[in-house]
Amino acid sequence: MEIRPILATLPRHRIPALLIVLEIALACAVLCNAVFMVAQCVIDGRAPNAIDEQGMSVIHIGGLDSQLAADSVARDLAALRTLPGVKAAAAISDVPLGPDATFNGFTSQPDAEATVNSSVYLVGKGAEQALGLQLLQGRYFTDEEYAQGELLPSHQSASHVVLINRSDAARWWPGQSALGRHIYSDGTAWTVIGVVADVIAQDPHFSGVSGKYSSVFFPQRPSAELGNYILRSDPTARARVLQQAMQTLGKLEPGAVLEGKTFADVRAEYFAGSRNLAWMLVLVCVVMLAVTALGIVGLTSFWVGQRRRQIGIRRAVGASCRQILAYFQTENFLLSTAGVLLGAVLAYAINIYLMRHYEVNRMPWYYLGGGVAALWLLGQLAVLGPALRAASVPPVEATRTV
Amino acid sequence: MFGYYLDLAIRSLRRNKVLTGLMVLAIAMGIGASMTTLTVLHVLSGDPLPGRSASLYYPQLDPRDMQAYTPGVEPPAQLTWTDGMYLLHAKRGTHQALMTGGMVPLQPAQSSIDPFHANARYTTADFFPMFGVPFQYGAAWGDAEDQASARVVVISAELNDKLFGGENSVGKTLRLQKADFRIIGVLGDWRPNPHFYDLYMGAYANYEQVYVPLSTSRALHMEHDGSTDCWGDGGGDQVHLETQPCTWLQFWVELDSPASVAAYKEFLEHYSADQRAAGRFVRPPNVRLRNVMQWLDANHVVPNDTRLQAWLALGFLVVCLVNTVGLMLAKFMRRAGELGVRRALGASRRTLFGQLLLESGVIGFVGGMLGLLLALLGLWLVRQQPSDYAKLAHMDAAMLLATFVISVAASTLAGLLPAWRACHVAPALQLKAQ
């Protein structure tokens, strides 16, 4: 296909041509950024978490008398463990993605300043089974360590041992074993006795990217700090187990406030906002692409209408239907190319602006590639109808008007 | 003439229904999406206490140690007990109140309602007169109750409906964290948005159900909730928060004149300097005194997602408008013949231009109506979302008017170029072509 004649005619239709270029550029810029943001939401919502999420349920218990809490926790757990279907039960201060986050900064040097918000988990006996933690190195807490676990007046753990995440081990002691080393916070030290696969933070939005996989576990004996019971069961039985557990606790602790959820719900609720954003973005993209396609159809139809005579003349002097069709397709391809080039620049500019003002990452190049390909395809599809109509203009049209 | 052009415009729009439909739809979609997000933004960035907010101030001090110190850094967003009590008892403003949030287990007397966590506010007495909180029944407590750590409680209308079926419950007993409280007041409609006085309890639609004197809450060790920010050897231990190096209280003061604001700022600086001389503060005086709107701005209360959505929707509106420009161009140029005849019969370019712009205005108006319906649908969808501000997403009169203004303005703007091109056709050529 000769493109010189096409280029030669474009200056005669400057405004419609510019409009098509502009439409495609804007659509490309918005599309790339929107798809990128949707992908980010999806990735966020699927953030890995090395616990048994599918089999776990959480019951928050509030309003226990703090003097009597130790007895209540021990009694409640004993009752929960006897329920049919419960594989393990334990008490914990807060769960991953949970609402009442406790953060603290830890370092691997006694007097360094902490820079990461680490989520602090106080766990009761049996929590490693109830959570389904994956031990990579070292050991879990002993019964004795659990029995002695309590809090200092500074609210730090009085226990001397700690379990840490693999990410933290790699951050503090890159390339070395973390076992037997110490972490510090405000003059208190703990010995690392085990490393577990990454457990997600309590409130990853608050902790920020650096603290997303910074979790530390301390043993704690039954006390008022352990305000959540976690139950592990078969994923298929979790709803029934949760319901039974709620009834059992309701009888054991009249007056206490109980809120029970499966962990799948905890995750769904935590990420509900970003999921909604993603759906809205998808909706906007679909509608925008439809509007752009209709705009191209409208303008090209008008264009074809204007040029019926020229088309007739070309047909009369020997051009085939295919050549007319190819003419309009090539023309659209050229305009789309100009549009996507402009759009790619615009997309990057928007991305840089968003990075500066919002928590958005740099867009990888393949989103641009995808957006460009999508708009090329959209342009070709949109132009097909008008181009076919142009190709069906009979040669006799050349003789119709003056 | 206007009536005649309107008639012409409607006739012309009817002639080519598909093209007209496309234009109206493009504008309606752009307007619908933009107005949905703009309405949410408008609702969320509103003034929580119109008329009062300009004279309510939020003092901040910097009592932290020298760790991670940089000069001029933003002071903590809350106060320590010691500082809060000092400012409270100094009584330098017309009203002042020291407060914090809590979640307290509430054990209803009826067995039909399970115990639940009530959202609580522990505050000193001035909270009610300072914020102009409306009462349905009874009244607030006063300084005497504050000093006596009296077991009195003010409850929200919503809680009163839930527990007492909306009747006057003043004098009845409410059981909170296993202690009995006497209800002395029931609030009327009190839903300031954003929840400006404590942003840590959810910035929107998270209203307290019970209000208890701060002194009572401390005496009974009622559960504190919200942010507790500690440094040094402070661990945020709930029971001993008063003596720990932790900020966990909000303090609001009413200052009625610019002079009193300046005086108060000076007072805060003097206090910081005195505390530093006494060795309690180690940082140089670093204070802030913002009024409600400045405080909300400084805290970026409007969610980033919402701003992002508004930008996206505006980008979408621009795409729709560029489309409309293209479609209008197609439409107007197609009528070159008709316009040529009108020119030949003596119509000036200016009148043609006006006629075509009116036509685009009509498209904008119809698009605006459809857009309004889409925006109402969009807002309904927003309200179905679980986020805390979702329930607030309602259109008000200002946004309704804005919908039409933006819609007609946008479509007229879109019509400028096509109309200008169309009224510059040479009449002779067009007449010849017929």
Side-chain angles (χ1 to χ4, degrees):
Chain A
M1 186 75 207
E2 185 73 49
I3 64 166
R4 255 187 318 176
I6 302 180
L7 290 178
T9 60
L10 281 181
R12 299 185 58 86
H13 305 278
R14 237 167 307 157
I15 290 177
L18 269 178
L19 282 174
I20 290 187
V21 169
L22 203 59
E23 253 170 43
I24 290 181
L26 284 171
C28 180
V30 176
L31 182 74
C32 290
N33 278 285
V35 169
F36 175 58
M37 274 152 63
V38 170
Q40 291 290 303
C41 288
V42 172
I43 292 168
D44 268 2
R46 291 197 179 156
N49 184 15
I51 60 172
D52 179 19
E53 290 199 2
Q54 294 310 311
M56 208 174 100
S57 301
V58 187
I59 300 176
H60 175 70
I61 181 159
L64 288 181
D65 194 323
S66 53
Q67 264 81 48
L68 305 173
D71 294 341
S72 298
V73 170
R75 182 182 61 214
D76 294 345
L77 283 175
L80 291 176
R81 287 188 181 119
T82 62
L83 289 177
V86 172
K87 287 189 201 159
I92 191 167
S93 57
D94 193 22
V95 291
L97 307 176
D100 303 313
T102 308
F103 293 110
N104 195 8
F106 296 91
T107 59
S108 55
Q109 305 293 329
D111 37 2
E113 283 186 16
T115 50
V116 175
N117 275 326
S118 304
S119 301
V120 178
Y121 292 91
L122 301 174
V123 296
K125 192 179 162 193
E128 62 269 19
Q129 286 93 20
L131 283 168
L133 291 178
Q134 295 163 19
L135 189 68
L136 301 175
Q137 277 184 305
R139 61 172 177 90
Y140 290 122
F141 304 118
T142 61
D143 287 357
E144 196 185 350
E145 281 162 351
Y146 275 124
Q148 288 170 355
E150 58 183 340
L151 289 183
L152 295 169
S154 66
H155 236 60
Q156 305 272 24
S157 174
S159 159
H160 301 291
V161 288
V162 64
L163 272 177
I164 62 172
N165 260 5
R166 190 179 56 174
S167 290
D168 276 340
R171 176 162 64 91
W172 283 320
W173 303 284
Q176 302 168 37
S177 166
L179 295 183
R181 297 188 183 258
H182 294 91
I183 62 170
Y184 303 87
S185 174
D186 290 325
T188 314
W190 296 270
T191 310
V192 176
I193 57 151
V195 178
V196 293
D198 282 348
V199 175
I200 203 166
Q202 287 167 2
D203 185 351
H205 290 161
F206 184 86
S207 72
V209 178
S210 57
K212 190 169 175 186
Y213 287 110
S214 183
S215 302
V216 291
F217 299 84
F218 296 105
Q220 176 78 12
R221 67 181 180 207
S223 71
E225 277 75 29
L226 302 179
N228 292 282
Y229 296 139
I230 40 178
L231 299 167
R232 192 165 169 209
S233 62
D234 215 47
T236 50
R238 66 188 181 198
R240 183 176 49 80
V241 165
L242 179 62
Q243 196 195 356
Q244 284 178 348
M246 291 291 282
Q247 281 169 359
T248 310
L249 288 176
K251 278 182 214 140
L252 279 174
E253 306 290 346
V257 182
L258 298 167
E259 289 155 289
K261 282 176 203 163
T262 62
F263 196 84
D265 287 343
V266 172
R267 176 177 276 260
E269 276 173 36
Y270 190 83
F271 291 109
S274 71
R275 206 170 49 238
N276 285 324
L277 178 66
W279 276 115
M280 148 148 183
L281 289 173
V282 168
L283 191 72
V284 165
C285 284
V286 169
V287 176
M288 188 187 65
L289 289 182
V291 167
T292 307
L294 290 178
I296 294 176
V297 172
L299 270 181
T300 323
S301 302
F302 160 66
W303 219 327
V304 170
Q306 258 191 340
R307 293 191 240 173
R308 281 180 76 81
R309 251 189 72 221
Q310 283 119 299
I311 298 167
I313 293 171
R314 279 198 68 197
R315 294 277 283 124
V317 297
S320 68
C321 289
R322 288 192 66 86
Q323 281 172 322
I324 303 291
L325 189 67
Y327 177 91
F328 280 97
Q329 282 175 330
T330 313
E331 186 181 64
N332 179 274
F333 184 78
L334 291 177
L335 292 176
S336 300
T337 306
V340 292
L341 287 181
L342 188 64
V345 175
L346 207 58
Y348 252 115
I350 294 177
N351 181 232
I352 287 167
Y353 176 85
L354 291 179
M355 268 177 14
R356 202 165 290 169
H357 296 272
Y358 300 95
E359 282 174 8
V360 173
N361 299 330
R362 180 174 289 285
M363 179 164 57
W365 63 269
Y366 44 81
Y367 285 94
L368 275 185
V372 165
L375 280 157
W376 259 326
L377 194 68
L378 185 83
Q380 288 299 307
L381 285 177
V383 85
L384 198 61
L388 280 173
R389 227 171 312 133
S392 66
V393 170
V396 70
E397 193 82 16
T399 62
R400 281 272 163 83
T401 42
V402 190
Chain B
M1 241 17 210
F2 182 82
Y4 175 59
Y5 286 164
L6 197 65
D7 186 45
L8 275 185
I10 291 169
R11 270 169 200 277
S12 128
L13 291 177
R14 272 176 158 170
R15 205 173 310 144
N16 194 335
K17 291 206 175 74
V18 177
L19 209 53
T20 310
L22 277 183
M23 283 190 278
V24 167
L25 208 62
I27 292 202
M29 299 235 207
I31 289 289
S34 314
M35 292 320 287
T36 305
T37 54
L38 286 180
T39 304
V40 173
L41 200 62
H42 170 75
V43 169
L44 296 192
S45 48
D47 185 342
L49 285 184
R52 273 179 194 271
S53 60
S55 57
L56 296 175
Y57 284 82
Y58 190 78
Q60 286 169 270
L61 299 165
D62 200 342
R64 291 174 292 188
D65 55 22
M66 292 307 277
Q67 193 176 5
Y69 172 73
T70 42
V73 69
E74 173 76 11
Q78 301 182 100
L79 295 179
T80 61
W81 176 265
T82 314
D83 297 328
M85 276 297 163
Y86 179 80
L87 296 186
L88 181 74
H89 291 137
K91 289 199 190 301
R92 295 292 180 106
T94 320
H95 287 111
Q96 47 259 303
L98 185 65
M99 64 192 82
T100 193
M103 278 301 219
V104 333
L106 191 156
Q107 289 98 9
Q110 307 91 314
S111 57
S112 57
I113 305 176
D114 281 339
F116 58 93
H117 271 129
N119 201 338
R121 178 121 307 251
Y122 312 134
T123 176
T124 57
D126 271 5
F127 178 91
F128 302 97
M130 178 165 63
F131 294 154
V133 184
F135 274 81
Q136 204 179 137
Y137 304 114
W141 65 83
D143 289 340
E145 281 88 349
D146 270 343
Q147 269 152 30
S149 301
R151 296 198 182 181
V152 292
V153 61
V154 167
I155 65 173
S156 70
E158 173 249 348
L159 186 67
N160 191 45
D161 289 346
K162 181 171 177 176
L163 296 181
F164 303 105
E167 285 171 33
N168 185 350
S169 57
V170 171
K172 293 196 176 156
T173 301
L174 193 67
R175 207 165 161 73
L176 297 173
Q177 203 165 321
K178 299 185 177 158
D180 283 335
F181 284 77
R182 185 165 52 86
I183 297 174
I184 57 164
V186 178
L187 296 187
D189 185 24
W190 166 245
R191 284 176 294 180
N193 270 305
H195 187 263
F196 66 96
Y197 48 83
D198 183 357
L199 299 172
Y200 292 106
M201 300 293 286
Y204 297 98
N206 203 346
Y207 313 109
E208 288 87 1
Q209 294 164 298
V210 297
Y211 298 78
V212 172
L214 182 65
S215 52
T216 316
S217 79
R218 297 311 301 163
L220 293 176
H221 301 308
M222 294 171 82
E223 281 177 39
H224 164 248
D225 200 24
S227 164
T228 309
D229 194 5
C230 302
W231 58 94
D233 58 358
D237 170 16
Q238 291 265 349
V239 182
H240 303 106
L241 273 177
E242 285 90 339
T243 51
Q244 295 205 21
C246 298
T247 58
W248 54 287
L249 294 148
Q250 302 94 42
F251 181 76
W252 285 92
V253 57
E254 184 177 342
L255 301 169
D256 294 320
S257 67
S260 58
V261 176
Y264 204 90
K265 189 147 193 191
E266 205 172 316
F267 162 64
L268 291 175
E269 269 159 11
H270 276 303
Y271 173 69
S272 294
D274 285 352
Q275 290 294 309
R276 193 176 181 217
R280 223 191 112 237
F281 284 10
V282 288
R283 295 189 175 193
N286 178 24
V287 305
R288 299 283 187 282
L289 188 62
R290 298 187 173 104
N291 68 19
V292 173
M293 293 317 275
Q294 291 163 342
W295 171 241
L296 294 177
D297 260 2
N299 281 281
H300 308 290
V301 163
V302 176
N304 269 348
D305 277 3
T306 310
R307 283 185 198 279
L308 217 56
Q309 282 171 5
W311 279 114
L312 189 82
L314 286 178
F316 177 58
L317 179 63
V318 172
V319 172
C320 290
L321 282 184
V322 172
N323 263 292
T324 314
V325 174
L327 295 172
M328 277 190 195
L329 191 68
K331 186 163 175 58
F332 291 168
M333 293 308 281
R334 220 174 252 185
R335 285 163 55 203
E338 174 201 323
L339 295 174
V341 174
R342 288 206 63 212
R343 285 278 282 131
L345 291 178
S348 69
R349 276 193 181 141
R350 185 188 284 264
T351 44
L352 281 192
F353 190 65
Q355 183 203 339
L356 292 176
L357 275 192
L358 184 75
E359 198 170 318
S360 19
V362 170
I363 294 172
F365 187 77
V366 179
M369 290 226 271
L370 196 60
L372 184 68
L373 290 181
L374 287 178
L376 291 177
L377 179 74
L379 288 173
W380 180 80
L381 280 176
V382 171
R383 284 198 294 275
Q384 306 309 306
Q385 295 185 0
S387 49
D388 53 357
Y389 57 80
K391 290 176 214 81
L392 304 171
H394 286 278
M395 190 164 273
D396 57 10
M399 292 313 278
L400 196 75
L401 189 68
T403 307
F404 284 99
V405 172
I406 293 178
S407 177
V408 173
S411 69
T412 313
L413 197 70
L416 279 180
L417 177 76
W420 186 78
R421 291 274 298 171
C423 64
H424 274 77
V425 294
L429 264 182
Q430 293 303 326
L431 293 176
K432 194 171 154 224
Q434 299 298 310

